[in-house]
Each structure stands twice: as C-alpha cells, then as structure tokens.
Amino acid sequence: MIKVSNVILVLGETGLSYARYLAARGEVFTVLDDEVSSDRLAALRTVSSQTDVAPITGTSIAVAQNVYVSPGVPLSLPAIVENTTVDQLRGDVQMFGEMAAAPFVAITGTNGKSTVAQLVYEIAAQQLDRVALGGNIGTPCLDLLSPEVDLYVLEVSSYQLELAVELAADVAVVLNLSADHLDRYPSAQAYFNTKLALYGHCRSAVINRAVDYEPRRDIPTISIGMDPVGGTAQLGVLGDAITLGGEVLIRKHELRLFGFHNLLNVQAAIGIGLLLDFEIGPM
C-alpha cells in the first residue's frame, strides 16, 4: 500500500495546532473527525481552505504517512491499532521536544499541574525576558515555538505523554499520583507508568517523596514533600513553613494560595526554579 498523506485525528485545539504546523510547512493533510463542530471547521478553513474533512475510518488512516493524534483519541482505537505502526504516530509534545531551541519544563501529575505551571511561569517571568506557557493548559505547545523564547513551561497530561516517550525536558516533575482515567488505562499502575515515563529522558527532575519512584542517579534532582527534612536538595514542611535544607523559606500565611496542599505546589515551583539556576530571593 502506498502511503500518500498526513492525517490529523480529531480537530480539537491540538488538532488545529497540527493543521497550523503542517500548513506553515506546505504539507498536504486530511482531517479525520466524526463530529466536527462548526467553529472548529471555520478555524480550519482560515488555515487551509481546501483541506478534506472526513469521518474516521481504518482505510483513511492506512494510507497516511504520518498520523497526528490528538490527546483525546485513545491509541487503543481499533482504526489506529489495525492500520498503523508506532513509527507513523505523532504527538504534539514529543514533536515540540524535538524542535524547541530553548530549555523547557514539563509538569505532570494527577492534581495541581496547572497551578504549578502557572507558578513557574510567574517565577520565570521575573528572571527571564521571554517565557512561554502552554501545553495542556492554554496554548497548544506547537503554537508556542519561537526563536525568541528563553524558556517554555509546559503542563502535560498522561494522554500527551503516551506519544512523548523520549521527551528530554530540561526539568521534569510528576507532582503526585492517584488513580484516574481508568476508562482509558487498563489499571492504575498503567496510568502511573505513563506519567512516570516523563522522568526517563529528562535532564533534571523534581521528585515527590510520596510517589513510588526510584530517582535516577545520573541527573540533578530535588525532592519535595510534606514532611520535615534537612537534606541540601530537599524541600519540605516544618509546622506551617516550607523549608530548604531544614531552613525556613516561606510560611503558609505569607502565600496568596489557600490550602495546605499548595505548600507542595509551591515547593515544586521552587524546586524547578532551583534546577534552572534561578535566584532564590526573587522566587
């Protein structure tokens, strides 16, 4: 069978970012989606007025050179399983990681990832000229790519990580893990493993001590947790205060974030900043 085209699976926000990416490179592509909304279709037409839009079928996927998969599309979909190889499947986060010229942070977890991504963005914006925030929050990551960016801050979901198995983030963090999305994953452990794979190729990592994971020894790491600790690369909690190496950094009443759980989110943001060599005072 001759492979003749690029296919985008489902026209959501990520699907539109694929369309913009391909159109900017003069690539021909087809969109497969069983229920395209009128506003998405109108947005596509501003990118490429002649692009074909058709229902998802195995035949249409089978003739594609590259299949650009939106995160909401399960890789277990029979039309994908029966008509593609792993080499044909493309995911936006992995693509981003291969093209980004500036350092990038990748933040995932069952809870808190949007909060931490926003915190890191605010911290970084105080110390760098141009910081871009996106991924699973706000702007799709392919739309962020620019030679002018000094640092990218990405929130990434487990769905996005399914096709980002070699993502070399400059700093990676899995904030926490609890059973979720069990309609998509065969077990909680399978979901956990998808998240934890973020650590596989990263250049440095923030590790939650409550997560069952053995940190790599070949990269710099900082640990976070809700327990009192004294190690130089350990952030923790003593009473109502966040500590680094056992020394108080900031107390809960000084934060503008409510809830004891946000002590962990703030630790994660600080840990990321330390691994990026940001100054502790401004943070």
Side-chain angles (χ1 to χ4, degrees):
M1 182 180 294
I2 299 174
K3 304 293 185 180
V4 296
S5 67
N6 300 300
V7 161
I8 296 172
L9 278 182
V10 179
L11 196 64
E13 287 298 320
T14 300
L16 285 168
S17 74
Y18 286 139
R20 287 187 284 268
Y21 169 83
L22 291 169
R25 286 154 182 77
E27 296 274 358
V28 175
F29 59 93
T30 298
V31 172
L32 300 183
D33 194 327
D34 293 335
E35 297 181 357
V36 182
S37 67
S38 57
D39 59 331
R40 300 289 188 203
L41 185 58
L44 174 65
R45 293 303 178 216
T46 67
V47 175
S48 177
S49 60
Q50 302 302 316
T51 292
D52 291 332
V53 179
I56 298 172
T57 65
T59 302
S60 297
I61 292 175
V63 298
Q65 293 174 318
N66 300 293
V67 181
Y68 295 86
V69 186
S70 295
V73 179
L75 299 184
S76 59
L77 191 73
I80 295 177
V81 174
E82 296 167 7
N83 296 282
T84 66
T85 63
V86 172
D87 292 341
Q88 289 172 261
L89 303 179
R90 303 284 178 265
D92 66 327
V93 170
Q94 183 67 44
M95 291 169 60
F96 169 91
E98 293 167 358
M99 291 185 286
F104 68 96
V105 175
I107 300 163
T108 196
T110 305
N111 300 298
K113 52 188 178 289
S114 295
T115 298
V116 174
Q118 188 69 47
L119 283 170
V120 174
Y121 172 79
E122 299 292 346
I123 286 172
Q126 295 291 323
Q127 304 200 28
L128 298 170
D129 290 333
R130 179 88 183 270
V131 183
L133 171 67
N136 193 51
I137 179 177
T139 305
C141 58
L142 291 179
D143 290 339
L144 296 175
L145 288 167
S146 167
E148 299 177 0
V149 172
D150 298 312
L151 176 73
Y152 298 97
V153 180
L154 299 187
E155 176 192 325
V156 291
S157 69
S158 62
Y159 296 173
Q160 291 171 314
L161 289 171
E162 291 172 10
L163 288 175
V165 295
E166 296 182 354
L167 189 67
D170 292 271
V171 186
V173 58
V174 180
L175 295 169
N176 47 63
L177 291 173
S178 58
D180 199 8
H181 300 305
L182 296 185
D183 57 333
R184 177 140 165 171
Y185 297 97
S187 66
Q189 192 58 54
Y191 164 71
F192 297 164
N193 291 343
T194 302
K195 293 278 197 182
L196 291 169
L198 180 62
Y199 287 136
H201 295 270
C202 65
R203 298 184 177 95
S204 66
V206 174
I207 310 289
N208 184 345
R209 292 185 294 275
V211 170
D212 184 14
Y213 174 74
E214 184 63 35
R216 287 165 50 195
R217 298 180 181 274
D218 62 327
I219 59 171
T221 61
I222 290 177
S223 74
I224 61 175
M226 301 300 283
D227 51 331
V229 287
T232 56
Q234 293 180 318
L235 287 150
V237 174
L238 181 62
D240 68 343
I242 293 173
T243 63
L244 174 62
E247 299 295 322
V248 171
L249 289 182
I250 191 167
R251 297 187 181 278
K252 182 173 177 291
H253 72 268
E254 297 176 283
L255 299 173
R256 296 183 182 181
L257 291 173
F258 298 105
F260 202 68
H261 65 283
N262 275 314
L263 294 182
L264 189 71
N265 291 333
V266 171
Q267 286 180 57
I270 292 172
I272 290 167
L274 291 171
L275 289 169
L276 292 170
D277 294 324
F278 289 168
E279 295 180 33
I280 190 68
M283 282 202 290

